Amino acid sequence: MTIHELAVEIGKAIKADERMVRLNAARAAYEANEELGSALMEYEIQQRALADEYTKADRDNELIEAVQKRIDFLYEKITGSAEYKEMLAAEEAVNALMNDVNAEIKYCIT
């Protein structure tokens, strides 16, 4: 078996691993949440509005403060959601798996 064939097999095994399955399910749940989708869209719009206001020579500090408060609120709403927390935890588990696989490969090489 070639190195590339082995890499394909490792990729298939990782894709089938429970941690990757969990991550895919968590991402799907996160993306399916319409309320979070709306919050994310508004967050991005508010970020652009804030950046635009900062580039102006005559900045409206009250507007900047109001937009920043809204951004902070949206950030807390997004990162505080169960879907986001689950996706983050699942990503950490997959990252740990990938680190373990890479460490094992490096160990075997050296």
Side-chain angles (χ1 to χ4, degrees):
M1 199 176 258
T2 69
I3 291 172
H4 294 288
E5 290 169 333
L6 289 169
V8 168
E9 291 304 311
I10 291 171
K12 288 178 182 177
I14 291 170
K15 185 176 182 178
D17 186 89
E18 67 205 29
R19 289 160 282 200
M20 185 59 78
V21 171
R22 176 184 173 203
L23 176 57
N24 290 334
R27 276 190 186 139
Y30 178 77
E31 291 170 1
N33 185 317
E34 291 180 15
E35 185 178 339
L36 282 177
S38 294
L40 281 165
M41 189 180 310
E42 183 184 349
Y43 180 85
E44 291 172 10
I45 291 168
Q46 295 288 351
Q47 286 278 39
R48 278 184 254 144
L50 186 62
D52 289 346
E53 191 61 31
Y54 270 116
T55 62
K56 294 180 180 177
D58 57 335
R59 295 179 188 158
D60 182 341
N61 289 327
E62 288 180 19
L63 177 62
I64 289 173
E65 185 178 328
V67 171
Q68 186 61 58
K69 283 182 182 178
R70 183 65 181 165
I71 288 171
D72 293 344
F73 170 79
L74 292 166
Y75 179 82
E76 291 299 320
K77 180 178 184 174
I78 294 164
T79 60
S81 70
E83 292 86 351
Y84 178 85
K85 289 177 182 179
E86 172 58 18
M87 187 175 67
L88 191 61
E91 284 177 346
E92 289 172 359
V94 168
N95 288 340
L97 170 65
M98 296 303 295
N99 288 337
D100 290 347
V101 170
N102 286 330
E104 187 65 30
I105 291 169
K106 286 179 184 178
Y107 175 78
C108 290
I109 291 171
T110 59

